[in-house]
Amino acid sequence: MSSEDRKPRDREERFVNYLARLAAAENRAALAALRRGLGKRPGETADPLPYVLPWVPEGVSAAEETRWFLVASLFALHPVGWTSPPDRRQLTNLGASLALLARENESGRAGVERRFVALLNAHYEDLPEHLRHIVALLRTHGVPVDWAQLLRDFRYWGAERRTVQRNWARAFWRGLGAEMATEEPVSEPPTTTS
């Protein structure tokens, strides 16, 4: 990875660390200002500007700017991140967070899966609304979010190969895989005859 490739990632990590410091310092005013940005376009309300704009790279597109504001407002809604994955090989993207929620909330597992599939199918412009509901659900159950990864993933949401969506799906269904492996299949897979 070249130093040019690392710069955005470093800035994203530093930004999330900054947000975490606001939460650790119990800076309620800052977190409330960031939450006031939920459901709004960047600049629609001035409250989050002093906390986010210094971190947004100069000359970026409106879509690029939006991801910084969205993640900051979602973080303020639920300032709980992964401290470290239980297993170093484990992914901590949003799919992993939702898998953890589904495992811990067996009675609501079908609803979590339904919301997750809707999120994976969401168009870029609908993503903020879906994420707000997902993060509120994770907050209700105290499930951590990898905020820096979410900030990175949001940048590539509209990519043609849908790599982010596949990575989230992989983490989600692999996270449920151990439980699914013990269940009997609903029906036999179809066989083909020649």
Side-chain angles (χ1 to χ4, degrees):
M1 180 184 296
S2 74
S3 64
E4 285 301 309
D5 292 334
R6 278 194 303 268
K7 285 181 184 175
R9 187 179 189 102
D10 290 345
R11 181 184 290 254
E12 292 158 347
E13 290 285 340
R14 289 192 325 267
F15 178 60
V16 169
N17 288 337
Y18 163 73
L19 295 174
R21 286 192 306 273
L22 291 175
E26 297 182 17
N27 189 334
R28 292 182 185 153
L31 295 174
L34 291 170
R35 280 192 302 275
R36 284 191 285 279
L38 280 170
K40 296 184 173 85
R41 291 184 314 273
E44 195 172 327
T45 180
D47 298 314
L49 295 177
Y51 303 101
V52 181
L53 273 183
W55 293 93
V56 178
E58 291 288 327
V60 298
S61 68
E64 174 72 7
E65 192 175 73
T66 296
R67 77 182 178 100
W68 293 83
F69 280 90
L70 176 62
V71 169
S73 63
L74 291 171
F75 176 90
L77 179 65
H78 178 47
V80 176
W82 290 88
T83 52
S84 66
D87 176 346
R88 288 184 147 284
R89 296 167 296 172
Q90 181 180 356
L91 296 172
T92 56
N93 63 30
L94 201 59
S97 294
L98 287 164
L100 180 60
L101 173 63
R103 283 194 317 269
E104 292 178 355
N105 184 17
E106 188 63 36
S107 64
R109 180 172 169 170
V112 171
E113 190 166 355
R114 233 182 351 269
R115 284 180 185 251
F116 181 59
V117 170
L119 174 65
L120 292 178
N121 287 324
H123 294 284
Y124 184 84
E125 59 274 1
D126 299 326
L127 195 54
E129 186 69 19
H130 283 276
L131 286 173
R132 191 175 77 199
H133 293 294
I134 292 289
V135 169
L137 183 63
L138 294 171
R139 178 190 67 193
T140 299
H141 295 278
V143 176
V145 174
D146 186 333
W147 293 106
Q149 186 63 50
L150 182 60
L151 186 58
R152 286 188 291 276
D153 287 347
F154 192 35
R155 180 179 351 145
Y156 300 110
W157 187 260
E160 186 177 326
R161 295 189 62 210
R162 297 179 54 87
T163 305
V164 170
Q165 291 89 330
R166 288 195 339 260
N167 287 341
W168 288 10
R170 186 174 295 114
F172 181 78
W173 279 291
R174 279 187 182 165
L176 298 179
E179 294 170 14
M180 292 168 55
T182 62
E183 297 176 6
E184 292 295 321
V186 174
S187 64
E188 290 295 316
T191 57
T192 57
T193 58
S194 16

